[in-house]
Amino acid sequence: MDENIRKLIFKIFPFLFWLKDYRKENLIKDFLAGLTISVVLIPQSMSYAMIAGLPPIYGLYAASIPPVVAALWGRASLLATGPVAMVSLLTFSSIIPFAKPGTPEYINMAINLALLVGLIQFLMGAFRLGFIMRFVSHPVIVGFTNAAAIIIASTQIQHLLGISVKGSEFILPMFLEIGKNISNTNTYTLAVGLFAFTIIIAGKKIHDSFPGAMVASVITTLLVYALNLNEAGVKTIGDLPKGLPSPSFTFVDFEHTARLIGPALVIAIVGFMEAMAITKAISSRTREPVDINQELIGQGAANIIGSLFKSYPVSGSFSRSAVNLQAGGKTGLSNIFSGLIVIAVLLFFTSTFYYLPKATLAAIVMHAATGLIKHSQFIKLYRTSKHDGIIALITFSFCFITKPDYAIFIGIAVSLLFFLWESMTPRIAILTRNPKTEIFEDYETNRLPFCPQILYLRPEFSIYFANAEFIREYILKKVEESKNGLKFVLIDMEAVNRIDATGIDEMKELIGELRKMDIELYIANVHKPVREVLHNSSIMTMLKQDKCLKSKAESITLLFNKLDHKYCKEKCPFTVFWECETVK
């Protein structure tokens, strides 16, 4: 086979890479891992569908085809794809303004949202735009994750109490609704939910891999059936459609589709950020290489093809990926098996869920959500960087004040504003030689003396239109603060990676203003791109140096020879440079 054709085939069908070298001894391990995943996946998927405002059957649809597609076209072999709490919440908040949860219109919009999310992710991967994910900073994710966990748990209170609550895209009105209706709590429903909680928590204490969700589902289902608790007001799943939906395109009018593009972009980014965080955590243990763009293609394909089978948006699941790793999964075949098992359940066993209490599904969600709440992350962020702590807190707060997807954009905007502010007011270090270490340091660190005739400065950011005026004004301020005798300003451009036209203009103005005070400007340690800009402009002709100085030593040697040595000997009390000793 021609090599180019072979590469093209492997590019279109990436799963052929690992299938061609698949080892038979891994088959049983992958099957058992897939079976273990499905035990967690089946109750979780129905629970998460409820968060999304969808009937539980749509959780099973999202847990069937998408895991298979993601395993075949993704890069991370142990990443378990399917319904997840965070994406389910964003799906709910995205559609609730336009339709009532559970209605055909709402369901169609959720399926259409999966298609849009998939297209965005697939195109980002195909055009290698994975770098866009870097704009969502870690503090934003911390703030959003913690708030989302609380919101997710809160959305299930109504199912745990057996009350009816009017859906809202904002969390505060929902809390008010719960408060108004809490007196209508069904005691039997609450008892079932708390019993399910007890089973799940006790199971975790027995062993981390104990299938508490599945055991709780089975026991509470049998309990409701045996005691006829459904007749006492305990709401159950009821009849579920049998079989896997035939592939079809779900049409939603253009107006609603256009309104969903913004939310789809948020879900595509947030969902993939979660998937990549999981992938990196697992790859650190499996040593499997991470390919962001290929994973985007895999997640995108899972959402696109999943939407044809009535799936709502999906992403990588941390809990199920961890189960896959612990269960001994070796390749993507483990996730394929989990999807096939869900398909088998859809074909033959949907009737077994008739008496499954919604309170049990609520307990599963609430237990999973509370595990995501980690308040210590805020403290760590604030101790590391006050700005990061503030960004996380702002994102967290706005999740409750406004819609969660809006909070993400606000967090990103605040992150960029802080970055812009830092770049607009960069730190400019005043360098001097430490006589003990004999290296150049920031004089403020140890309050070291510096040469009265040389003001040695190092801007710690690139010079461009937003900060060029600040740098010029800062230098002039420091010149004015210096005592009489200052002859040279030396700018070390070691940390300056670029300079634009505004930076050049401000530097020319600085040269002119310094010259009026009989002070000359010199520049050193200039990177090649910056040096080219300086030489292409007329700035070098304005300086008293024909070329950029290469090092600190060369700079100081040159300038020291031009100093007023009489001033050094009679007036200067410091011995800053080793050359000082030659004239004192």
Side-chain angles (χ1 to χ4, degrees), residues 379-394:
I379 299 170
K380 289 179 181 177
L381 280 174
Y382 190 80
R383 285 176 178 172
T384 304
S385 167
K386 289 184 179 180
H387 284 176
D388 286 348
I390 292 170
I391 291 166
L393 193 59
I394 288 173

Side-chain angles (χ1 to χ4, degrees), residues 209-283:
S209 59
F210 183 84
M214 180 60 78
V215 173
S217 299
V218 172
I219 293 176
T220 54
T221 298
L222 293 173
L223 193 65
V224 171
Y225 174 75
L227 301 178
N228 291 322
L229 293 180
N230 55 321
E231 295 179 5
V234 177
K235 294 179 181 179
T236 64
I237 297 298
D239 288 316
L240 293 178
K242 191 175 183 180
L244 189 68
S246 300
S248 61
F249 177 74
T250 302
F251 177 76
V252 177
D253 62 87
F254 179 79
E255 183 181 350
H256 281 116
T257 301
R259 288 176 177 175
L260 290 176
I261 292 175
L265 180 62
V266 174
I267 294 172
I269 293 175
V270 173
F272 187 73
M273 288 285 292
E274 188 175 4
M276 281 312 300
I278 300 160
T279 299
K280 288 178 180 178
I282 292 176
S283 67

Side-chain angles (χ1 to χ4, degrees), residues 28-341:
I28 296 298
K29 294 177 182 178
D30 281 335
F31 176 75
L32 292 175
L35 181 62
T36 308
I37 295 168
S38 63
V39 168
V40 178
L41 174 60
I42 290 169
Q44 266 193 359
S45 63
M46 290 190 285
S47 303
Y48 294 156
M50 289 167 56
I51 298 175
L54 296 165
I57 189 66
Y58 287 89
L60 291 175
Y61 293 156
S64 57
I65 299 298
V68 176
V69 176
L72 292 174
W73 274 273
R75 182 68 179 86
S77 59
L78 299 185
L79 178 65
T81 300
V84 294
M86 209 94 63
V87 170
S88 298
L89 173 65
L90 289 173
T91 298
F92 174 80
S93 65
S94 299
I95 305 174
I96 189 66
F98 313 117
K100 186 178 179 181
T103 61
E105 184 184 10
Y106 185 99
I107 293 169
N108 288 341
M109 290 185 73
I111 297 168
N112 196 231
L113 186 62
L115 176 62
L116 293 174
V117 170
L119 287 172
I120 291 170
Q121 290 178 331
F122 188 88
L123 291 173
M124 286 177 68
F127 289 100
R128 308 190 70 78
L129 300 177
F131 66 88
I132 291 176
M133 300 299 169
R134 299 172 190 167
F135 285 97
V136 186
S137 65
H138 179 64
V140 173
I141 293 298
V142 168
F144 173 74
T145 302
N146 280 274
I150 296 172
I151 296 171
I152 288 165
S154 302
T155 61
Q156 299 306 297
I157 293 176
Q158 58 175 317
H159 300 297
L160 188 68
L161 301 179
I163 61 177
S164 296
V165 174
K166 185 180 178 182
S168 173
E169 58 188 309
F170 302 102
I171 188 65
L172 293 181
M174 189 182 72
F175 281 132
L176 293 175
E177 279 286 310
I178 292 172
K180 288 178 183 178
N181 294 281
I182 198 167
S183 59
N184 299 324
T185 299
N186 184 289
T187 307
Y188 295 103
T189 301
L190 179 59
V192 169
L194 293 177
F195 183 50
F197 250 126
T198 304
I199 294 171
I200 295 169
I201 294 170
K204 285 294 177 185
K205 289 185 177 180
I206 294 170
H207 197 277
D208 285 340
S209 59
F210 183 84
M214 180 60 78
V215 173
S217 299
V218 172
I219 293 176
T220 54
T221 298
L222 293 173
L223 193 65
V224 171
Y225 174 75
L227 301 178
N228 291 322
L229 293 180
N230 55 321
E231 295 179 5
V234 177
K235 294 179 181 179
T236 64
I237 297 298
D239 288 316
L240 293 178
K242 191 175 183 180
L244 189 68
S246 300
S248 61
F249 177 74
T250 302
F251 177 76
V252 177
D253 62 87
F254 179 79
E255 183 181 350
H256 281 116
T257 301
R259 288 176 177 175
L260 290 176
I261 292 175
L265 180 62
V266 174
I267 294 172
I269 293 175
V270 173
F272 187 73
M273 288 285 292
E274 188 175 4
M276 281 312 300
I278 300 160
T279 299
K280 288 178 180 178
I282 292 176
S283 67
S284 66
R285 296 181 61 179
T286 62
R287 304 300 177 187
E288 186 178 45
V290 176
D291 187 336
I292 293 179
N293 292 304
Q294 186 60 48
E295 203 56 56
L296 272 168
I297 291 173
Q299 293 291 304
N303 277 297
I304 292 170
I305 299 175
S307 71
L308 301 179
F309 292 89
K310 300 189 182 303
S311 166
Y312 74 97
V314 298
S315 183
S317 165
F318 188 86
S319 60
R320 297 194 297 273
S321 298
V323 167
N324 194 1
L325 184 65
Q326 291 172 359
K330 297 297 180 183
T331 69
L333 205 57
S334 60
N335 290 309
I336 294 173
F337 279 130
S338 73
L340 293 176
I341 290 169

Side-chain angles (χ1 to χ4, degrees), residues 402-438:
T402 184
K403 292 171 60 177
D405 49 342
Y406 291 176
I408 293 171
F409 282 126
I410 291 169
I412 293 172
V414 173
S415 298
L416 293 175
L417 282 174
F418 272 128
F419 172 77
L420 187 60
W421 175 252
E422 288 175 359
S423 71
M424 288 174 65
T425 56
R427 185 173 181 275
I428 301 177
I430 298 178
L431 299 181
T432 188
R433 178 175 169 273
N434 189 326
K436 293 181 180 178
T437 62
E438 297 188 352

Side-chain angles (χ1 to χ4, degrees), residues 493-561:
M493 302 184 77
E494 187 176 19
V496 178
N497 294 315
R498 62 180 291 267
I499 185 170
D500 66 1
T502 306
I504 293 294
D505 289 340
E506 292 292 338
M507 190 171 284
K508 288 179 180 178
E509 190 171 337
L510 176 64
I511 293 169
E513 293 185 47
L514 290 175
R515 199 157 280 168
K516 290 177 184 177
M517 295 181 277
D518 293 324
I519 299 171
E520 290 297 331
L521 177 70
Y522 283 78
I523 52 178
N525 288 326
V526 183
H527 294 294
K528 184 179 179 181
V530 178
R531 189 164 62 246
E532 289 176 353
V533 173
L534 294 177
H535 281 290
N536 290 336
S537 68
S538 59
I539 199 167
M540 294 304 295
T541 59
M542 297 177 65
L543 297 172
K544 290 291 183 70
Q545 58 183 117
D546 56 355
K547 63 179 180 178
C548 300
L549 301 172
K550 294 181 179 179
S551 65
K552 294 178 177 65
E554 181 185 7
S555 306
I556 297 303
T557 300
L558 174 69
L559 297 183
F560 187 84
N561 291 331

